[in-house]
């Protein structure tokens, strides 16, 4: 770039010397300067490239900074929100979506969420630390429902302790039959026969098909009816006048709500005809309970990653024994929650009366306490199905709900192995870190025990889908505990004063 300027300076010097040597001669005519051509295109291209690269790097740096800000900001909000609602073990770090607080007039602020473990894919194994000095493997069995299996969750000694504690307390019949009260329930609901008929008529074809009647009666009466039983009842009650196996609205109107149940009770019901054939008991796991039971509850808290307050306020440990021939037909541990439904565990905080109650079991943790000689698997008939349709559960003489006859037809079966635990979510997430709709794919049952005895235990984590009810319930329990602690403290002080006075005398 300097060469053209050098040439110009040389021309100027030559012109000056020429004029000094011949001053008398007229000055020569100035020649026009010749400018060297510059390669502007090359310079502009290089400058433009440098500017673009600078802006590109600045853009990338801004994007990275923004992502880091969002990541750390959300993480800190979630952890802070969780600490505000309930105390957790300091060793347990949980992340989740932050939810803006609700207005003050809507009740308790939404400053808690329920973390969910990711299943990733079927067969995926992840390491979990549940007890000091040991790492467990947790395997994903299905994604619908979100179901996991943890071998060696309990030691052989712990399994034996739980069984012996249940035997010492005594087991009762797991009877789910409702003996009476259906007429009173219908009066409370104020439902007409037409309305009940429409509820039962799933496909709305104006006729009740056998599977529609069977599904309803099994849930309501606790008696496991088959198509053959249904025909026998129709003939005995003389309601199916045309004999086509279908009930019209007129035929259904001739029946009382408990007609099926009364007919079966008069005829006699065998144990094998019950929805559930087993014996069970409940074991308290709180302060003062056997150390194995307390340790088991702490382990469940670490496994589910839920606040300890939720686990501690849930149902006690249920221990169940299935003798040979014992079974539990396919069912859901928790029913769908509608606006008029209340949860059993938060009933005191509901401030309403409702004929509909359900257990609201957000998570089920099932423990196998012994090795079963034959049978006794836990079946998930529709696990990872593409769709769920209640009407398709009973078709072509195959009843997927029947764990005595068609347990092998289900999509997934878990073999009972001593010390193994399986757990699954009975509800979906609402997308804001709380309980959503019922996961219909969590349908499961206990296959019939064909040889030997089967011992299992259940830990259910109760969470009310209504956040405000759950918050009121926990506040109520907390206040009760504080009042009790104060009364105990006052009682101890009075006792100490009485002893001191006695000593003075």
């Amino acid at each position: 770039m300097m060469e053209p300027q050098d040439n110009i300076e040389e021309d100027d010097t030559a012109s000056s010397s020429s004029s000094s040597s011949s001053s008398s001669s007229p000055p020569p005519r100035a020649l026009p300067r010749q400018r060297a051509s510059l390669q502007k295109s090359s310079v502009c291209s290089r400058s433009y490239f440098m500017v673009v690269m600078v802006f590109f790097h600045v853009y990338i740096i801004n994007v990275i900074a923004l992502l880091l800000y969002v990541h750390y900001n959300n993480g800190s909000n979630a952890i802070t929100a969780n600490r505000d609602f309930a105390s957790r073990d300091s060793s347990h770090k949980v992340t989740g979506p932050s939810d803006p607080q609700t207005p003050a007039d809507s009740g308790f602020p939404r400053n808690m969420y329920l973390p969910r473990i990711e299943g990733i894919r079927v067969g995926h194994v992840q390491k979990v630390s549940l007890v000091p000095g040991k790492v467990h493997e947790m395997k994903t069995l299905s994604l619908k429902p979100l179901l996991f299996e943890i071998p060696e969750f309990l030691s052989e000694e712990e399994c034996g302790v739980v069984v012996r504690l249940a035997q010492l307390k005594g087991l009762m019949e797991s009877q789910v039959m409702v003996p009476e009260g259906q007429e009173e329930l219908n009066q409370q609901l104020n439902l007409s026969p037409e309305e009940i008929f429409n509820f039962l008529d799933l496909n709305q074809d104006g006729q009740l098909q056998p599977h529609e009647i069977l599904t309803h009666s099994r849930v309501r009466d606790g008696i496991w009816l088959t198509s053959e039983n249904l025909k026998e009842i129709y003939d005995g009650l003389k309601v199916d006048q045309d004999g086509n196996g279908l009930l019209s609205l007129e035929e259904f109107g001739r029946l009382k709500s408990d007609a099926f149940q009364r007919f079966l009770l008069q005829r006699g019901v065998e144990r094998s005809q019950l929805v559930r054939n087993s014996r069970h008991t409940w074991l308290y796991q709180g302060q003062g309970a056997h150390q194995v039971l307390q340790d088991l509850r702490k382990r469940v808290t670490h496994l589910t990653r839920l606040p300890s307050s939720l686990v501690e306020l849930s149902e006690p440990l249920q221990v169940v024994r299935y003798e040979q021939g014992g079974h539990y037909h396919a069912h859901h541990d928790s029913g769908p929650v509608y606006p008029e439904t209340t949860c059993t565990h938060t009933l005191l905080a509901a401030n309403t009366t409702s004929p509909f109650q359900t257990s609201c079991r957000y998570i089920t943790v099932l423990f196998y306490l012994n090795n079963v000689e034959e049978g006794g698997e836990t079946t998930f008939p529709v696990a990872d199905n593409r769709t769920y349709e209640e009407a398709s559960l009973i078709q072509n003489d195959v009843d997927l709900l029947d764990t005595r006859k068609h347990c092998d037809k289900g999509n997934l079966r878990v073999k009972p192995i001593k010390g193994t635990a399986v757990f699954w979510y009975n509800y979906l997430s609402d997308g804001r870190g709380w309980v959503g709709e019922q996961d219909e794919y969590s349908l499961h049952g206990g296959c019939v025990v064909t040889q030997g005895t089967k011992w299992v235990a259940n830990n259910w984590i109760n969470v009310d889908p209504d956040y405000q009810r759950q918050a009121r319930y926990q506040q109520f329990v907390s206040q009760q505990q504080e009042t009790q602690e104060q009364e105990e403290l006052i009682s101890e002080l009075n006792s100490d004063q009485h002893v001191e006075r006695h000593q003075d005398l």
Side-chain angles (χ1 to χ4, degrees):
M1 295 179 61
M2 299 299 296
E3 292 178 0
Q5 295 180 5
D6 293 340
N7 295 336
I8 294 175
E9 292 175 359
E10 292 175 359
D11 293 342
D12 292 341
T13 304
S15 173
S16 176
S17 59
S18 172
S19 60
S20 59
S21 58
S22 54
S23 56
S24 59
S25 61
R29 186 177 181 181
L31 297 175
R33 295 184 177 183
Q34 297 181 354
R35 294 185 178 182
S37 60
L38 301 179
Q39 297 180 357
K40 293 184 179 181
S41 59
S42 175
V43 175
C44 292
S45 298
R46 189 178 295 111
S47 302
Y48 178 77
F49 175 76
M50 293 296 293
V51 172
V52 169
M53 289 302 296
V54 169
F55 276 102
F56 177 75
H57 282 80
V58 171
Y59 173 77
I60 293 298
I61 292 174
N62 287 336
V63 170
I64 294 175
L66 179 61
L67 291 176
L68 291 174
Y69 171 79
V70 172
H71 172 74
Y72 286 108
N73 189 50
N74 286 346
S76 61
N77 288 342
I79 296 174
T80 303
N82 194 39
R83 289 173 179 171
D84 291 341
F85 189 92
S87 60
R88 286 293 311 272
D89 294 336
S90 59
S91 60
H92 222 37
K93 183 179 179 181
V94 182
T95 58
S98 59
D99 190 37
Q101 293 186 354
T102 53
D105 59 355
S106 64
F108 294 89
R110 294 199 60 163
N111 53 9
M112 179 190 179
Y113 69 94
L114 304 175
R116 292 174 70 91
I117 299 176
E118 295 295 333
I120 310 300
R121 64 182 181 279
V122 175
H124 176 73
V125 177
Q126 48 188 309
K127 308 288 186 179
V128 291
S129 178
L130 305 176
V131 294
K134 185 176 181 180
V135 177
H136 289 81
E137 290 188 348
M138 183 170 61
K139 182 180 180 180
T140 303
L141 298 184
S142 72
L143 299 178
K144 297 189 306 182
L146 199 50
L147 170 66
F148 303 93
E149 179 184 47
I150 308 96
E152 300 179 0
F153 190 87
L154 291 88
S155 66
E156 289 195 12
E157 182 181 357
E158 289 174 327
C159 291
V161 169
V162 174
V163 170
R164 286 192 293 271
L165 289 174
Q167 291 173 328
L168 287 173
K169 184 174 182 180
L171 289 84
M172 66 188 76
E173 292 287 341
S174 303
Q175 181 58 268
V176 293
M177 230 173 60
V178 181
E180 57 185 9
Q182 295 300 324
E183 286 293 339
E184 180 181 353
L185 175 61
N186 287 342
Q187 292 176 1
Q188 293 180 13
L189 296 176
N190 194 25
L191 295 176
S192 65
E194 292 80 7
E195 290 174 318
I196 298 176
F197 182 90
N198 288 329
F199 282 132
L200 299 181
D201 188 12
L202 300 178
N203 59 2
Q204 296 294 299
D205 63 350
Q207 293 180 317
L208 294 183
Q209 302 179 26
H211 74 267
E212 294 170 333
I213 291 290
L214 291 177
T215 301
H216 172 68
S217 180
R218 290 168 178 176
V219 173
R220 188 195 66 180
D221 300 332
I223 303 175
W224 193 259
L225 298 179
T226 63
S227 299
E228 292 77 14
N229 298 141
L230 200 59
K231 186 178 185 306
E232 180 184 354
I233 294 174
Y234 285 173
D235 294 340
L237 297 177
K238 298 179 180 179
V239 292
D240 187 15
Q241 299 293 338
D242 50 14
N244 62 353
L246 306 176
L247 290 185
S248 63
L249 176 59
E250 181 181 357
E251 293 170 333
F252 180 77
R254 302 193 191 106
L255 292 173
K256 290 187 176 181
S257 60
D258 59 349
F260 284 11
Q261 193 178 50
R262 291 182 180 275
F263 177 83
L264 290 171
L265 291 176
Q266 292 175 0
R267 194 201 64 171
V269 179
E270 299 178 0
R271 291 174 59 88
S272 61
Q273 290 181 292
L274 299 178
V275 171
R276 182 179 188 180
N277 179 15
S278 63
R279 298 175 66 87
H280 75 274
T281 191
W282 301 89
L283 297 178
Y284 172 69
Q285 295 180 274
Q287 186 176 1
H290 194 284
Q291 190 61 44
V292 169
L293 299 179
Q294 295 188 55
D295 292 342
L296 184 58
R297 189 172 70 174
K298 292 178 182 178
R299 210 170 301 164
V300 168
T301 303
H302 285 293
L303 173 67
T304 59
R305 305 177 187 176
L306 293 175
S308 58
S309 57
L310 284 179
V311 180
E312 293 170 0
L313 294 178
S314 296
E315 297 173 61
L317 181 72
Q318 186 194 57
V319 183
V320 188
R321 183 183 70 193
Y322 295 89
E323 300 289 349
Q324 184 167 324
H327 68 277
Y328 197 170
H329 289 305
H331 61 283
H332 291 98
D333 278 349
S334 190
V337 179
Y338 303 107
E340 62 274 11
T341 304
T342 57
C343 297
T344 305
H345 75 286
T346 57
L347 189 60
L348 293 174
N351 293 331
T352 57
T353 56
S354 172
F356 293 116
Q357 293 184 24
T358 186
S359 298
C360 296
R361 294 163 172 167
Y362 177 60
I363 287 179
T364 297
V365 186
L366 173 64
F367 315 104
Y368 297 114
L369 303 178
N370 74 318
N371 295 315
V372 183
E373 296 181 39
E374 187 175 335
E377 300 91 345
T378 303
T379 179
F380 293 83
V382 294
D384 285 328
N385 253 18
R386 296 183 63 183
T387 58
Y388 177 89
E389 294 181 5
E390 188 173 340
S392 64
L393 297 175
I394 308 175
Q395 59 181 352
N396 299 328
D397 296 329
V398 175
D399 187 350
L400 292 177
L401 302 173
D402 193 335
T403 59
R404 294 183 63 87
K405 296 181 179 179
H406 305 294
C407 211
D408 58 331
K409 301 296 193 300
N411 290 352
L412 175 64
R413 284 181 296 165
V414 182
K415 184 178 180 179
I417 300 176
K418 188 175 184 178
T420 296
V422 292
F423 91 94
W424 63 90
Y425 295 89
N426 295 303
Y427 289 92
L428 303 172
S429 173
D430 67 347
R432 298 184 299 165
W434 199 247
V435 181
E437 297 181 354
Q438 180 193 33
D439 190 345
E440 297 176 316
Y441 294 90
S442 64
L443 182 74
H444 66 284
C447 300
V448 61
V449 178
T450 55
Q451 188 173 350
T453 303
K454 173 185 174 183
W455 283 91
V456 298
N458 295 290
N459 257 146
W460 286 297
I461 312 301
N462 302 112
V463 182
D464 196 321
D466 187 324
Y467 183 91
Q468 297 300 320
R469 276 205 306 252
Q470 181 69 36
R472 284 199 303 269
Y473 169 68
Q474 296 200 192
Q475 184 188 61
F476 171 77
V477 173
S478 177
Q479 292 173 349
Q480 292 293 106
Q481 291 175 346
E482 291 178 359
T483 302
Q484 183 178 358
E485 291 175 357
Q486 291 176 357
E487 292 177 351
E488 292 177 353
L489 180 60
I490 294 174
S491 177
E492 290 178 1
L493 292 175
N494 292 335
S495 178
D496 292 341
Q497 292 176 359
H498 176 74
V499 172
E500 291 177 358
R501 291 173 183 173
H502 181 74
Q503 290 176 348
D504 292 340
L505 291 175

